[in-house]
Amino acid sequence: MDAQAKIKDTVSSNKVVLYMKGSPKFPQCGFSSVACQILSACGAEYVTVDVLQDMDIREGIKQYANWPTIPQLYVEGEFIGGADIMRSMYQSGELQELLAKA
């Protein structure tokens, strides 16, 4: 299975997916850490994919959403954005609503 197919399968079969560097317990970059803190603050159940473990996924995820940076949040298969977008959506309450529906 190529990277694009693997990514599509992951975001389709899980309600909330965060592609990040590292893991929620040991994030490997500040933005990934912020993304996990936001999802935890929302009380969201989510799956993470550590892009540092797989270079094909690391490059593939950037093409998948046509978004150059990581982390990337997907809710019900739809690309939401990175840490900055998550932060502003969290502050406006929009992210909590989106996650509550998922």
Side-chain angles (χ1 to χ4, degrees):
M1 189 184 285
D2 76 340
Q4 297 296 312
K6 210 183 284 185
I7 293 165
K8 186 171 195 228
D9 183 55
T10 302
V11 300
S12 312
S13 56
N14 297 285
K15 287 183 190 288
V16 183
V17 182
L18 181 67
Y19 282 83
M20 64 179 292
K21 293 178 181 171
S23 67
K25 285 192 166 120
F26 299 104
Q28 299 294 312
C29 83
F31 293 111
S32 290
S33 178
V34 165
C36 290
Q37 289 170 1
I38 291 170
L39 289 172
S40 296
C42 293
E45 284 186 30
Y46 61 101
V47 173
T48 60
V49 177
D50 180 0
V51 299
L52 300 177
Q53 300 298 320
D54 186 334
M55 288 313 289
D56 290 342
I57 297 292
R58 185 176 182 172
E59 289 310 308
I61 194 66
K62 295 174 185 179
Q63 295 158 356
Y64 187 80
N66 196 19
W67 189 260
T69 58
I70 294 161
Q72 292 186 11
L73 178 66
Y74 291 81
V75 177
E76 296 190 324
E78 188 183 334
F79 174 63
I80 305 303
D84 293 343
I85 292 170
M86 288 173 68
R87 185 185 289 123
S88 67
M89 287 178 71
Y90 175 71
Q91 287 167 342
S92 73
E94 196 181 344
L95 187 62
Q96 294 88 323
E97 282 178 36
L98 185 70
L99 292 167
K101 281 189 230 159

